[in-house]
């Protein structure tokens, strides 16, 4: 902020302008800092927006550009020569990042890569992705993009391919147990109230 102030004002010789510039930069940084932090999705951690490994981010960006070019050529080949290779499918996988920026980066990277579109992300880190071809789906399900994003944000993730039918059965079982506990709690609370009357 201070560098921007000096470059824009081009006043380096008057002390009062230097003091105003530094003071303004400190005040603005103080008020803006909170809007550049986010709460963790699984923990109590707070993350700064740019809390990344810069070298790994640059190498990830270069790798992603290569993937975009390769996928573009694959999709163009399928569209112009072999339309029978279009095998649209919906795939699910879990990549439970704690940092919301990591979750957003992965979703946007998938959508930027031709042949795949992120449709939804559940709270528990399950991604729903539409893939145009089998090769696009397989490339995504191997998990290299998910692990590279985790490296950029210095995280370890529980990555796995998800069978959505099994996952929904587990979710329903969890919800049923929660309902049973709530009913039991309400009954005991009701009994306590009756006894204290």
């Amino acid at each position: 902020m201070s560098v921007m102030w000096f470059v824009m004002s081009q006043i380096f010789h008057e002390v009062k302008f230097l003091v105003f510039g530094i003071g303004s930069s400190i005040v603005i940084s103080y008020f803006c800092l909170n809007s550049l932090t986010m709460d963790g999705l699984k923990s109590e951690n707070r993350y700064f927006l740019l809390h990344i490994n810069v070298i790994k981010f640059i190498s990830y960006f270069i790798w992603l550009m290569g993937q975009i070019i390769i996928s573009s050529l694959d999709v163009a080949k399928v569209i112009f020569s072999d339309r029978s290779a279009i095998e649209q499918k919906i795939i699910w996988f879990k990549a439970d990042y704690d940092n919301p920026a990591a979750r957003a980066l992965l979703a946007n990277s998938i959508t930027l890569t031709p042949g795949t579109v992120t449709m939804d992300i559940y709270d528990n880190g399950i991604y729903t992705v539409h893939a145009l071809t089998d090769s696009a789906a397989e490339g995504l399900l191997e998990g290299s993009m998910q692990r590279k994003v985790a490296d950029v944000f210095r995280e370890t993730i529980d990555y796995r391919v998800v069978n959505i039918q099994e996952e929904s059965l587990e979710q329903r079982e969890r919800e049923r147990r929660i309902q049973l506990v709530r009913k039991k709690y309400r009954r005991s609370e009701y009994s306590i109230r009756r006894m204290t009357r």
Side-chain angles (χ1 to χ4, degrees), residues 60-149:
Y60 173 74
F61 181 76
I62 292 165
W63 177 83
L64 181 63
M65 291 300 108
Q67 294 303 305
I68 289 171
I69 291 165
I70 292 166
S71 297
S72 299
L73 295 172
D74 284 347
V75 169
K77 186 175 114 184
V78 165
I79 289 170
F80 289 119
S81 63
D82 188 16
R83 284 181 179 255
S84 63
I86 295 176
E87 292 284 332
Q88 298 183 61
K89 57 175 66 176
I90 307 291
I91 57 174
W92 293 271
F93 62 84
K94 183 173 185 176
D96 60 341
Y97 302 100
D98 189 39
N99 190 332
R103 193 174 277 193
L105 179 63
L106 178 61
N108 288 321
S109 298
I110 291 167
T111 301
L112 280 170
T113 308
T116 53
V117 176
T118 305
M119 296 169 59
D120 200 1
I121 310 169
Y122 297 99
D123 290 339
N124 58 355
I126 293 176
Y127 286 69
T128 306
V129 178
H130 176 272
L132 187 66
T133 62
D134 283 334
S135 62
E138 286 163 16
L140 192 56
L141 291 175
E142 75 183 17
S144 59
M145 184 181 282
Q146 294 86 332
R147 290 184 191 93
K148 283 178 188 295
V149 170

Side-chain angles (χ1 to χ4, degrees), residues 43-61:
S43 69
E44 299 297 315
N45 294 340
R46 297 255 320 147
Y47 294 101
F48 184 62
L49 188 62
L50 301 174
H51 178 78
I52 57 171
N53 182 321
V54 176
I55 306 237
K56 288 195 174 176
F57 178 74
I58 291 166
S59 69
Y60 173 74
F61 181 76

